[in-house]
Amino acid sequence: MDDLDVLARQQLDEARASAHGRSARLFLRDGPLRQTVIALVAGAELDEHNAPPAASLQVLHGRVRLTGAGGGLELTTGQVADPRERHGLLAVEDSAVLLTAVTEIAAGARPTASAGTMRD
């Protein structure tokens, strides 16, 4: 069993030591399901990219901004978003996030957002 707090701290340490200011660890892979802890130091970013068919992004530590066509959505520790459009990710402060992604789903079976879900 993985401890998200420990993984977040480890990835933040690795991001701080990295020339690019970021680090990631895929810790769960089960069929199309992927879970990855991504850490970024303040000011570091992930370039704009397409969203997977289904995903959620939970901030484990810090503050990040989802960037893209819809403007910026800022998230802090404990908040969750479901990025559905092309987007990037900017660390407003040293941050660690949990990306849960489903890499493939049956045609027409796109899950709907639940009440209270934040969108970019």
Side-chain angles (χ1 to χ4, degrees):
M1 174 172 38
D2 290 294
D3 183 317
L4 287 177
D5 288 331
V6 170
L7 287 172
R9 282 193 302 273
Q10 289 172 340
Q11 292 312 300
L12 277 167
D13 288 345
E14 289 185 26
R16 290 177 181 125
S18 167
H20 301 290
R22 59 184 186 247
S23 179
R25 177 166 174 232
L26 172 67
F27 69 92
L28 187 144
R29 184 178 192 154
D30 185 8
L33 176 65
R34 307 281 186 274
Q35 286 193 304
T36 305
V37 172
I38 303 167
L40 303 159
V41 298
E45 61 187 309
L46 297 178
D47 291 335
E48 198 169 288
H49 53 278
N50 292 324
S56 69
L57 185 74
Q58 178 182 357
V59 181
L60 301 173
H61 174 82
R63 187 164 44 120
V64 298
R65 181 176 303 122
L66 281 171
T67 60
L73 173 64
E74 209 161 281
L75 304 166
T76 61
T77 301
Q79 291 185 308
V80 179
D82 63 336
R84 294 180 176 218
E85 306 295 328
R86 187 170 174 79
H87 64 280
L89 186 67
L90 169 70
V92 177
E93 55 191 48
D94 289 1
S95 301
V97 299
L98 171 64
L99 172 65
T100 301
V102 176
T103 57
E104 58 186 63
I105 56 176
R110 173 100 168 125
T112 58
S114 62
T117 300
M118 302 176 91
R119 294 188 190 172
D120 64 341

